[in-house]
Amino acid sequence: MNHQTLNVAVVGGTGYSGGELCRLLLNHPHVGSIWPTARGDEEFERIHANLRGSSLSFVTLEDVQARVDELDVVFFCTPSGQAMRQAGWFLERDVKVVDVSADFRFADPATYQRVYGTAHAAPELLAEAAYGVTELNREAIAKSRLVANPGCYVITAILGLTPLLRAGWADLNSPLHLSAVNGTTGAGNKPKRPIMHAEALNSMLPYSMEGHRHGPELETHLAVAAGRDLVVDFNTAHGNFARGIHLQANLAVNPDLAATMSRERLLGCLTEFYGAGAEGEFFVRVNDLAKSGGLNAKDYDVYPGVASVTGSNFCHIGADYDERRGIIKILSVTDNLVKGAAGSAIQNMNVMLGLEETLALRTYGL
Amino acid sequence: MNHQTLNVAVVGGTGYSGGELCRLLLNHPHVGSIWPTARGDEEFERIHANLRGSSLSFVTLEDVQARVDELDVVFFCTPSGQAMRQAGWFLERDVKVVDVSADFRFADPATYQRVYGTAHAAPELLAEAAYGVTELNREAIAKSRLVANPGCYVITAILGLTPLLRAGWADLNSPLHLSAVNGTTGAGNKPKRPIMHAEALNSMLPYSMEGHRHGPELETHLAVAAGRDLVVDFNTAHGNFARGIHLQANLAVNPDLAATMSRERLLGCLTEFYGAGAEGEFFVRVNDLAKSGGLNAKDYDVYPGVASVTGSNFCHIGADYDERRGIIKILSVTDNLVKGAAGSAIQNMNVMLGLEETLALRTYGL
Amino acid sequence: MNHQTLNVAVVGGTGYSGGELCRLLLNHPHVGSIWPTARGDEEFERIHANLRGSSLSFVTLEDVQARVDELDVVFFCTPSGQAMRQAGWFLERDVKVVDVSADFRFADPATYQRVYGTAHAAPELLAEAAYGVTELNREAIAKSRLVANPGCYVITAILGLTPLLRAGWADLNSPLHLSAVNGTTGAGNKPKRPIMHAEALNSMLPYSMEGHRHGPELETHLAVAAGRDLVVDFNTAHGNFARGIHLQANLAVNPDLAATMSRERLLGCLTEFYGAGAEGEFFVRVNDLAKSGGLNAKDYDVYPGVASVTGSNFCHIGADYDERRGIIKILSVTDNLVKGAAGSAIQNMNVMLGLEETLALRTYGL
Amino acid sequence: MNHQTLNVAVVGGTGYSGGELCRLLLNHPHVGSIWPTARGDEEFERIHANLRGSSLSFVTLEDVQARVDELDVVFFCTPSGQAMRQAGWFLERDVKVVDVSADFRFADPATYQRVYGTAHAAPELLAEAAYGVTELNREAIAKSRLVANPGCYVITAILGLTPLLRAGWADLNSPLHLSAVNGTTGAGNKPKRPIMHAEALNSMLPYSMEGHRHGPELETHLAVAAGRDLVVDFNTAHGNFARGIHLQANLAVNPDLAATMSRERLLGCLTEFYGAGAEGEFFVRVNDLAKSGGLNAKDYDVYPGVASVTGSNFCHIGADYDERRGIIKILSVTDNLVKGAAGSAIQNMNVMLGLEETLALRTYGL
């Protein structure tokens, strides 16, 4: 393959994830053409003003299909239900597929049907879809032609929790409590009154408290890390920022370990898992700053801050321990549009194609 | 008492709570003079620019003491440890005291010492201090000369949780999980780098994850409502807004009630407890809007929003139920400086003095 | 008139100005019933969540008309063109009218037609409409049955500039340069992509740079203050806040006064005009804090800040002078929904009815 | 030179500009080591949390000097007065210097003295310092060993105004009116009360209205473009965002051209000057979207938005024309820390070293 001439399509190029894919792919040294699709006659620069002058313009899905011979990779940034109908057509024509939507995240079609309320249209492809948390599933992704990019909340949680769950430090007879605050880009770019600036500013918008659609995805994939079933009490809100996920997980400590658990031990577990420095995972960084003060000193910098990863593919993780109540606290932050969507998608593309994994993704957060 | 000539002092008038007391008291029809104190030579209008032209100016504590004969009420907006040293002096001179600090919130001096790390200086006053959640403790407050104004997080939680706890609907063998996002005014007005605009904007600042100082206050006062001991897993952060507390509580449902629990039943419990319309509690309003859509319809308006109560003494409460996992969710929002501090303090003053309870506090949120 | 039983209608009750009128009128001691109108079947509390539990609900314009005998005042918060068709009907039935829309702001129907592109439907009423800058036109308003509430930008500019213009301190052979940043509530509450939270956050949205519709209103009414024609270079943008107008006016100094002009002199002119303390205009406050430092000391507090008047009917005004270039700078800030709309409307109602002018409006900014 | 092993120092690495230089240099393919300096014992990751895990740490200026033999480029991000004392030492040792501070921006030492109030310490270097607006001064920069990086406001203004000034379309007998809103990172990272989150949120902070220090820099360098002296009425404020400059310039039209001036003509002038597509200036993009509506249609997207360039080295420029009043309006937006500081500094370094100009800088805005 001539890496200089990779041609990629972004099906669903008008949304925030599609625009972010274009933004990042424009800096990919091996990508030649980028074909974002739109259904109507939208002007690319009116939708994605940050990419003014990039010379990108929208095409139709049919345009992409007509040039499938030149195409190397297709990304789906479409509503649920579309990728599962179209992925097969591209795979048959030797195009790699990265699905940023939810269509290939469950190996079991019955789970998909239960969560999304409709039968899966391509159950035969589910088994071969690699689940795209790159850091945890690199080998399978490298061999795959179809990657299911994880949900933005889910990848943030999985990266934060897997080390602890694998180590068996949580008491999984109690539910895991997850509370996540997402930027308003996570609500999509279709105008609706509650997400207007004058309405959402200075507020918090909790939603889907009766059970978020990503709850089962969390339960399925965290169970893999834990080696057993578990229950996730998952809570979501949009916060007063445009990008980023601030996720906190509270877990009852394994009673056998309660006596010896500590903040330092938790941080050690994370650091050992992900490594550090040149040896470590490039995109996962553990905040292990020491506390400088006593109780209530408010050392805000000992926890990761979502603004630190904005615009980047990084995930920052921190931890603490409420000794009096035996509760482990994990904090994990990402940019919902990058590590939570477009960045992971490109990272997975890089791995699938045997490219250096961090290409187009090394920019640090603002 | 001639209500037209109430004179009040605000000890600790340079902070956000003190400024907010001045702001609200300026609109109190029965308050004549307001004496905010400062230690140095601060100019009132440089500290509280919103009160420009109000003719208020700082005095010293000594100035207040010298005019104690004219004084009716003193508010303490001071750091922990000051009110307990000075309240007695004012009480002996027939001045009512509302302590906005934490000094009189525990009946038991041993609890105070455990949480604040120092012996209580006026243990003899603790027994007579009325705990100032006005809606739940109105009679005791009316009879009291000393009110312990609750912490901002605590009053927000107590108002949201008391109906359910009294009804016995939660399984208290599991910890209550509380997650609260406070505005940055909650971090005080002393300049520190993490709460600078350029740092805190678009972020979330979790803090005190090892156990927040208000945890024991929550456990003590929620235990009263529940009629038994309980454990509170309490989590706090500052969000990207200046004012307001967005608090969510997750409780395991009482197993005996799991089969019949529902969002509607929870809202019914809240509405029955607080009443509605002209008969109901003026400052507590239940969001019982019906959901208009199906799963994930994102009816953001069925939950209370913190921006709706900004600038007001209202507490809005909502609820939902995760049936699949048996988890009750309560949302409660207040303005941390009003219902969480200065507003409640004035509400308590009104009750102590036999005035109409809502005086100076009826303004709706923005 | 029995002040306890004033009944008022808010025609166009679904927008931000209409909601703000309801919010403020709920605290008016002499207002009995408030009838906000809507065209469809909107639920009041879904539109104005901050007024939850207020017992207000929408009625139709026909409902209001059917009860016109009980009605004292009608406010129009409608798009241009509606009030001029309906005001006459109410006036004939002895109902006072405050038009918050633009229909009665020009005495000359030809100017209206030029600016709004359509003939005025009630030219016979224009002459009797009092222009509602209360502080400058109190007597005419008191005698009037129809008040034209000024545009939010215009009242902010007029209050800031009138003292200087009357004093003849500006060189009006050059254009006045006005630059105003408005909150996003000023863009209305109809969902549109550019004013979504994720789009407008952290940005500025300039608009109508070819000439804003309020330019002629400014030129007309500032010419009255100046006693001569003048040209206003008027520039507008929405900023990253929901409420408030931050307006700056730059004026070439009258060459005859250049040698003696100074910041102190400008502030003196403003203070003399509006008075101070108990004698002064209650809602207009001049920021005359002294600068504490030298060049570039960044004494931010010597200029008024828009956040200081949020939620209030106050206008804060400040000034400075660029001696090197001979340019007078006036800063004037208001809340666009209060002093810029609903607050002034109520202030004018109070004056029309002979009530104390500040009723329902004394709350200080946040 | 072995490009793979460029070693660079960032003197003054604790501020926002210094941190931004580190952030961008970490992605520079030819930079080996980065040595940011600090005076005390600050931990790098506590100051620049976004760069967690980057393995950078602070050194002292003495450390840098001791390794000057290995050093290729030194950036000064220091307060005024430091670079002019130290630049010579580095130049003598064949180290290229990019001064991000203000020390070398005036060719005339007398001007420096007038503006900064102190004599210049290295007047002999002023003549050889190239002024670092790369797009306009590329050849001189390429030949230089010392670049004076322009002020953030100034580069934003120069890029927007130069085409019009060179074309002679403005009437320079009237002052240019410039109004710029900067993010709060522009106020530095030293904690001060007015720039705390709770104070600056939802507000605007005008400052230095008596004459901003960058006014003379503007007047000096815009005069070069105009070929004559001119007066700049320069107005600055911090807005409610952390990064970015939103700058608007209003210019009286040259009377000879008034009859034929139009928005389209202005945009044509800008596009012709900067080019477009692969031929054009990479970092300067003109917003020439057509208006879709009539008067007051509020086509917000026809003007550049500051959020579109956040995090990037781009400058977006737009224009409009107030025909009625003969006023040209230019809008120019940049990220104050990138194009306004660290990005330009690296762009200039690339040009000085003969590297591809866009290295490390191609990332698009968020």
Side-chain angles (χ1 to χ4, degrees):
Chain A
M1 183 184 302
N2 181 342
H3 286 157
Q4 298 305 329
T5 58
L6 283 176
N7 295 327
V8 303
V10 177
V11 181
T14 57
Y16 287 125
S17 296
E20 190 71 1
L21 265 166
C22 293
R23 183 177 83 87
L24 294 170
L25 289 167
L26 280 164
N27 283 317
H28 197 297
H30 299 320
V31 167
S33 296
I34 304 165
W35 301 328
T37 79
R39 293 186 185 175
D41 58 352
E42 291 90 346
E43 286 179 64
F44 189 83
E45 298 197 358
R46 291 201 110 114
I47 303 288
H48 302 303
N50 56 328
L51 305 183
R52 186 174 314 291
S54 64
S55 304
L56 295 189
S57 57
F58 287 124
V59 298
T60 65
L61 179 57
E62 291 69 34
D63 294 333
V64 171
Q65 289 171 326
R67 300 179 66 176
V68 68
D69 290 351
E70 306 166 59
L71 191 66
D72 296 290
V73 181
V74 61
F75 296 93
F76 283 97
C77 298
T78 42
S80 295
Q82 186 172 341
M84 68 186 182
R85 286 189 167 70
Q86 297 168 343
W89 189 91
F90 286 99
L91 291 173
E92 288 163 16
R93 285 155 184 82
D94 284 334
V95 176
K96 307 276 191 191
V97 174
V98 180
D99 179 22
V100 182
S101 86
D103 284 7
F104 294 99
R105 292 177 187 162
F106 296 111
D108 177 5
T111 309
Y112 180 88
Q113 183 156 1
R114 174 170 66 77
V115 177
Y116 289 93
T118 180
H120 200 282
E124 71 285 0
L125 292 176
L126 288 174
E128 70 166 289
Y131 191 65
V133 182
T134 327
E135 284 77 7
L136 303 180
N137 205 21
R138 198 170 269 127
E139 287 185 31
I141 294 165
K143 293 180 194 156
S144 177
R145 55 178 192 159
L146 168 60
V147 167
N149 224 53
C152 57
Y153 289 119
V154 184
I155 192 170
T156 311
I158 286 178
L159 289 172
L161 290 171
T162 293
L164 281 287
L165 293 178
R166 287 210 187 157
W169 290 7
D171 173 5
L172 298 179
N173 297 316
S174 300
L176 305 191
H177 290 273
L178 260 65
S179 190
V181 183
N182 198 348
T184 49
T185 52
N189 66 1
K190 189 176 160 191
K192 284 179 283 193
R193 177 144 178 199
I195 53 172
M196 285 175 61
H197 183 269
E199 299 286 322
L201 197 74
N202 298 325
S203 202
M204 301 278 292
L205 294 173
Y207 67 100
S208 298
M209 301 303 261
E210 76 282 12
H212 189 285
R213 189 138 56 164
H214 286 185
E217 187 183 340
L218 277 165
E219 288 171 334
T220 298
H221 292 285
L222 289 176
V224 174
R228 58 159 285 183
D229 281 353
L230 46 75
V231 174
V232 176
D233 170 19
F234 182 43
N235 304 282
T236 53
H238 292 293
N240 187 23
F241 43 90
R243 282 169 172 256
I245 288 179
H246 172 90
L247 182 141
Q248 181 178 342
N250 285 18
L251 305 86
V253 68
N254 179 331
D256 298 340
L257 302 171
T260 58
M261 189 52 60
S262 70
R263 177 173 186 266
E264 289 66 33
R265 212 172 151 196
L266 292 165
L267 293 170
C269 175
L270 288 163
T271 304
E272 188 176 353
F273 191 91
Y274 289 114
E279 309 296 299
E281 285 290 345
F282 186 77
F283 294 120
V284 183
R285 312 253 167 136
V286 178
N287 183 336
D288 55 3
L289 290 176
K291 293 192 184 184
S292 63
L295 182 66
N296 289 313
K298 296 194 181 168
D299 296 302
Y300 294 108
D301 60 1
V302 302
Y303 306 116
V306 65
S308 293
V309 297
T310 300
S312 84
N313 198 49
F314 289 94
C315 175
H316 287 187
I317 307 175
D320 214 332
Y321 183 59
D322 181 341
E323 184 180 343
R324 187 175 177 87
R325 297 172 189 87
I327 298 172
I328 292 170
K329 311 207 177 166
I330 300 292
L331 287 152
S332 179
V333 300
T334 61
D335 185 318
N336 61 310
L337 296 181
V338 190
K339 191 64 178 168
S344 278
I346 292 173
Q347 191 179 353
N348 286 326
M349 177 191 84
N350 288 340
V351 172
M352 289 168 96
L353 299 178
L355 301 173
E356 206 282 306
E357 188 175 318
T358 65
L359 286 177
L361 301 172
R362 296 179 71 90
T363 304
Y364 281 83
L366 304 184
Chain B
M1 183 185 301
N2 181 344
H3 287 156
Q4 298 305 329
T5 57
L6 283 177
N7 296 326
V8 303
V10 177
V11 181
T14 58
Y16 286 127
S17 297
E20 190 71 1
L21 265 166
C22 293
R23 185 178 81 88
L24 295 169
L25 288 166
L26 280 164
N27 283 317
H28 196 297
H30 299 320
V31 168
S33 296
I34 305 167
W35 302 326
T37 79
R39 293 186 186 176
D41 57 351
E42 291 90 344
E43 286 179 64
F44 189 83
E45 298 197 359
R46 290 199 111 115
I47 304 287
H48 303 302
N50 56 327
L51 305 183
R52 186 173 316 291
S54 64
S55 305
L56 294 189
S57 55
F58 288 122
V59 297
T60 64
L61 178 58
E62 291 69 33
D63 294 332
V64 172
Q65 288 172 327
R67 300 179 66 177
V68 67
D69 290 350
E70 305 167 60
L71 191 65
D72 297 290
V73 181
V74 61
F75 296 93
F76 283 97
C77 298
T78 41
S80 295
Q82 185 171 345
M84 66 187 184
R85 286 187 169 70
Q86 298 168 341
W89 189 92
F90 285 99
L91 291 173
E92 287 163 16
R93 284 153 183 83
D94 283 334
V95 176
K96 306 276 191 190
V97 174
V98 180
D99 179 22
V100 182
S101 85
D103 284 6
F104 294 99
R105 292 178 187 161
F106 296 110
D108 178 5
T111 309
Y112 180 88
Q113 181 156 2
R114 174 170 66 77
V115 176
Y116 291 92
T118 179
H120 200 283
E124 72 286 0
L125 291 176
L126 288 175
E128 69 165 291
Y131 191 65
V133 182
T134 328
E135 285 78 6
L136 303 180
N137 205 21
R138 198 170 271 126
E139 287 185 31
I141 294 164
K143 293 179 195 156
S144 176
R145 55 178 192 158
L146 168 60
V147 168
N149 224 52
C152 57
Y153 290 118
V154 184
I155 192 171
T156 310
I158 286 178
L159 289 172
L161 289 171
T162 294
L164 281 288
L165 294 177
R166 287 210 186 156
W169 289 7
D171 174 5
L172 298 179
N173 296 316
S174 302
L176 304 191
H177 291 273
L178 259 65
S179 190
V181 184
N182 198 348
T184 49
T185 51
N189 66 1
K190 189 176 160 192
K192 283 178 285 192
R193 176 144 178 199
I195 52 171
M196 284 175 61
H197 183 269
E199 299 287 321
L201 197 74
N202 297 324
S203 204
M204 302 278 292
L205 295 172
Y207 67 100
S208 298
M209 301 303 262
E210 78 281 11
H212 188 287
R213 187 137 59 164
H214 285 184
E217 187 183 341
L218 276 165
E219 288 171 334
T220 299
H221 293 286
L222 288 175
V224 175
R228 56 160 285 181
D229 281 354
L230 45 76
V231 174
V232 177
D233 170 20
F234 182 43
N235 304 281
T236 52
H238 292 293
N240 187 23
F241 43 89
R243 281 168 173 256
I245 289 179
H246 171 90
L247 182 143
Q248 181 177 343
N250 285 17
L251 306 84
V253 68
N254 179 332
D256 299 340
L257 300 172
T260 57
M261 190 51 62
S262 70
R263 176 172 188 266
E264 288 66 32
R265 216 175 148 193
L266 292 165
L267 292 170
C269 175
L270 287 162
T271 305
E272 188 176 351
F273 191 91
Y274 288 114
E279 309 297 300
E281 285 290 345
F282 186 77
F283 293 120
V284 183
R285 311 254 167 135
V286 179
N287 182 338
D288 57 1
L289 288 176
K291 294 192 183 184
S292 63
L295 182 65
N296 289 315
K298 297 194 180 167
D299 296 302
Y300 295 107
D301 62 0
V302 302
Y303 307 115
V306 64
S308 294
V309 298
T310 300
S312 84
N313 199 48
F314 290 95
C315 174
H316 287 188
I317 307 175
D320 213 333
Y321 184 58
D322 181 340
E323 185 181 342
R324 187 174 178 90
R325 300 173 187 85
I327 298 171
I328 292 170
K329 310 203 178 167
I330 300 292
L331 288 152
S332 180
V333 299
T334 61
D335 185 317
N336 61 310
L337 297 180
V338 189
K339 190 64 177 168
S344 278
I346 293 173
Q347 190 179 353
N348 287 325
M349 175 190 85
N350 288 339
V351 171
M352 289 168 98
L353 299 179
L355 300 173
E356 206 283 307
E357 186 176 320
T358 66
L359 286 177
L361 301 172
R362 296 181 70 91
T363 303
Y364 281 83
L366 303 185
Chain C
M1 184 184 301
N2 180 342
H3 286 157
Q4 297 306 328
T5 58
L6 282 177
N7 296 327
V8 303
V10 177
V11 180
T14 58
Y16 286 126
S17 297
E20 191 70 2
L21 265 166
C22 293
R23 183 177 84 87
L24 295 169
L25 289 167
L26 280 164
N27 283 318
H28 197 297
H30 299 320
V31 168
S33 295
I34 305 165
W35 301 327
T37 79
R39 292 187 185 174
D41 58 351
E42 291 90 346
E43 286 179 65
F44 189 83
E45 297 197 358
R46 291 199 108 115
I47 304 288
H48 301 304
N50 56 327
L51 305 183
R52 187 174 314 292
S54 64
S55 304
L56 295 188
S57 55
F58 287 123
V59 298
T60 64
L61 179 58
E62 292 70 33
D63 294 333
V64 171
Q65 288 171 325
R67 300 178 67 176
V68 69
D69 288 352
E70 305 167 60
L71 190 67
D72 297 290
V73 182
V74 62
F75 296 93
F76 283 97
C77 298
T78 42
S80 295
Q82 186 171 342
M84 67 187 182
R85 286 188 168 72
Q86 297 168 344
W89 189 90
F90 285 99
L91 290 173
E92 288 164 16
R93 283 155 184 83
D94 283 334
V95 176
K96 307 276 192 191
V97 174
V98 181
D99 179 23
V100 182
S101 86
D103 284 6
F104 294 99
R105 293 178 188 163
F106 296 111
D108 178 5
T111 309
Y112 180 88
Q113 182 155 1
R114 173 169 68 77
V115 177
Y116 290 92
T118 179
H120 200 281
E124 72 283 1
L125 292 176
L126 288 174
E128 69 165 292
Y131 191 66
V133 182
T134 328
E135 284 77 6
L136 303 180
N137 205 21
R138 197 169 270 127
E139 287 186 30
I141 293 164
K143 292 179 195 155
S144 177
R145 56 179 191 156
L146 168 61
V147 168
N149 224 54
C152 56
Y153 290 118
V154 185
I155 193 170
T156 311
I158 287 178
L159 290 172
L161 289 171
T162 293
L164 282 287
L165 293 177
R166 289 211 186 155
W169 289 7
D171 174 4
L172 299 179
N173 296 317
S174 301
L176 305 191
H177 291 272
L178 259 64
S179 191
V181 184
N182 197 347
T184 48
T185 52
N189 65 2
K190 189 177 161 191
K192 284 179 284 193
R193 177 144 176 198
I195 51 171
M196 285 175 62
H197 183 269
E199 299 287 321
L201 197 75
N202 298 324
S203 203
M204 302 278 292
L205 294 172
Y207 68 100
S208 298
M209 302 301 262
E210 78 282 12
H212 189 285
R213 188 139 55 165
H214 286 183
E217 187 183 342
L218 276 165
E219 289 171 334
T220 299
H221 292 286
L222 289 175
V224 175
R228 57 160 283 183
D229 281 352
L230 45 77
V231 174
V232 177
D233 170 21
F234 182 43
N235 304 280
T236 51
H238 292 293
N240 186 23
F241 42 89
R243 281 168 173 256
I245 289 179
H246 172 89
L247 182 142
Q248 180 177 344
N250 285 17
L251 304 85
V253 69
N254 180 331
D256 299 340
L257 301 171
T260 57
M261 190 53 60
S262 69
R263 177 173 187 266
E264 290 64 33
R265 212 175 151 195
L266 292 165
L267 292 170
C269 175
L270 288 162
T271 305
E272 188 176 352
F273 191 91
Y274 290 114
E279 309 297 300
E281 285 290 345
F282 186 77
F283 294 120
V284 183
R285 311 252 167 138
V286 179
N287 182 336
D288 56 2
L289 289 176
K291 293 193 183 185
S292 63
L295 181 66
N296 288 315
K298 297 195 180 166
D299 295 302
Y300 295 108
D301 61 0
V302 302
Y303 306 115
V306 64
S308 294
V309 297
T310 301
S312 85
N313 198 49
F314 290 95
C315 175
H316 287 187
I317 307 176
D320 214 331
Y321 183 59
D322 181 340
E323 185 180 342
R324 189 174 176 87
R325 299 172 188 86
I327 299 172
I328 292 170
K329 311 204 178 169
I330 299 292
L331 289 152
S332 179
V333 299
T334 61
D335 184 317
N336 62 310
L337 297 180
V338 189
K339 191 63 177 169
S344 278
I346 293 172
Q347 190 179 353
N348 287 326
M349 176 190 85
N350 288 339
V351 171
M352 290 168 97
L353 299 178
L355 300 173
E356 205 283 307
E357 188 176 318
T358 65
L359 286 178
L361 301 172
R362 297 180 69 90
T363 303
Y364 281 83
L366 303 185
Chain D
M1 182 184 301
N2 181 343
H3 286 157
Q4 298 304 330
T5 58
L6 284 176
N7 296 327
V8 302
V10 178
V11 181
T14 57
Y16 287 126
S17 297
E20 191 71 2
L21 265 167
C22 293
R23 184 178 82 87
L24 295 169
L25 289 167
L26 280 164
N27 283 317
H28 197 297
H30 299 320
V31 168
S33 295
I34 305 166
W35 301 326
T37 79
R39 294 186 185 175
D41 58 352
E42 291 90 345
E43 287 179 64
F44 190 83
E45 299 197 359
R46 290 200 111 114
I47 303 288
H48 302 302
N50 56 327
L51 305 183
R52 186 174 314 291
S54 65
S55 304
L56 295 188
S57 56
F58 288 123
V59 297
T60 64
L61 179 58
E62 291 69 32
D63 295 332
V64 171
Q65 289 170 326
R67 300 179 67 177
V68 68
D69 289 350
E70 305 166 61
L71 191 66
D72 297 290
V73 182
V74 62
F75 296 93
F76 283 97
C77 297
T78 41
S80 295
Q82 185 171 342
M84 66 186 184
R85 288 189 166 71
Q86 297 169 342
W89 190 91
F90 286 100
L91 291 172
E92 288 163 16
R93 286 155 182 82
D94 284 334
V95 176
K96 307 275 191 192
V97 174
V98 181
D99 179 22
V100 183
S101 86
D103 284 6
F104 294 98
R105 293 178 187 162
F106 296 111
D108 178 6
T111 310
Y112 180 88
Q113 181 155 3
R114 174 170 67 77
V115 178
Y116 291 92
T118 179
H120 200 282
E124 71 285 1
L125 292 176
L126 288 174
E128 68 166 292
Y131 192 65
V133 181
T134 328
E135 285 77 7
L136 302 180
N137 205 21
R138 198 170 271 125
E139 288 184 29
I141 294 165
K143 294 179 195 155
S144 176
R145 55 179 192 157
L146 169 60
V147 168
N149 224 52
C152 57
Y153 290 119
V154 184
I155 192 170
T156 310
I158 286 179
L159 289 172
L161 289 172
T162 293
L164 282 288
L165 293 178
R166 289 212 186 154
W169 289 8
D171 175 5
L172 299 179
N173 297 316
S174 300
L176 305 191
H177 290 272
L178 260 64
S179 190
V181 183
N182 198 348
T184 48
T185 51
N189 66 2
K190 189 176 160 193
K192 283 179 283 193
R193 176 145 178 197
I195 52 171
M196 284 176 63
H197 182 270
E199 298 288 321
L201 197 74
N202 298 323
S203 203
M204 301 278 291
L205 294 173
Y207 67 101
S208 297
M209 301 303 262
E210 77 282 11
H212 189 286
R213 187 139 53 165
H214 286 184
E217 187 183 341
L218 277 165
E219 288 171 334
T220 298
H221 292 285
L222 289 175
V224 175
R228 56 159 285 183
D229 280 353
L230 45 76
V231 174
V232 177
D233 170 19
F234 182 44
N235 304 280
T236 51
H238 292 293
N240 187 22
F241 42 91
R243 280 170 173 257
I245 288 179
H246 171 91
L247 181 141
Q248 180 177 344
N250 285 17
L251 305 84
V253 69
N254 179 331
D256 299 340
L257 301 171
T260 57
M261 190 51 61
S262 69
R263 177 172 187 268
E264 289 66 32
R265 214 175 149 194
L266 292 165
L267 292 170
C269 175
L270 288 162
T271 305
E272 188 176 352
F273 191 91
Y274 289 115
E279 310 297 300
E281 285 290 345
F282 187 77
F283 294 121
V284 183
R285 312 253 167 137
V286 178
N287 182 337
D288 56 2
L289 289 176
K291 293 192 183 184
S292 64
L295 182 65
N296 288 314
K298 296 194 181 167
D299 295 302
Y300 295 108
D301 60 1
V302 303
Y303 306 114
V306 66
S308 294
V309 297
T310 301
S312 84
N313 199 48
F314 290 95
C315 175
H316 287 188
I317 307 176
D320 214 332
Y321 184 59
D322 181 340
E323 185 181 341
R324 187 174 179 88
R325 298 172 188 85
I327 298 171
I328 292 170
K329 311 204 178 167
I330 300 292
L331 288 152
S332 180
V333 299
T334 61
D335 185 318
N336 61 310
L337 295 181
V338 190
K339 190 65 176 168
S344 278
I346 293 173
Q347 190 179 353
N348 287 326
M349 175 191 84
N350 288 338
V351 171
M352 290 168 96
L353 299 179
L355 301 173
E356 206 283 306
E357 186 174 320
T358 66
L359 286 178
L361 301 171
R362 296 180 70 89
T363 303
Y364 281 83
L366 303 185

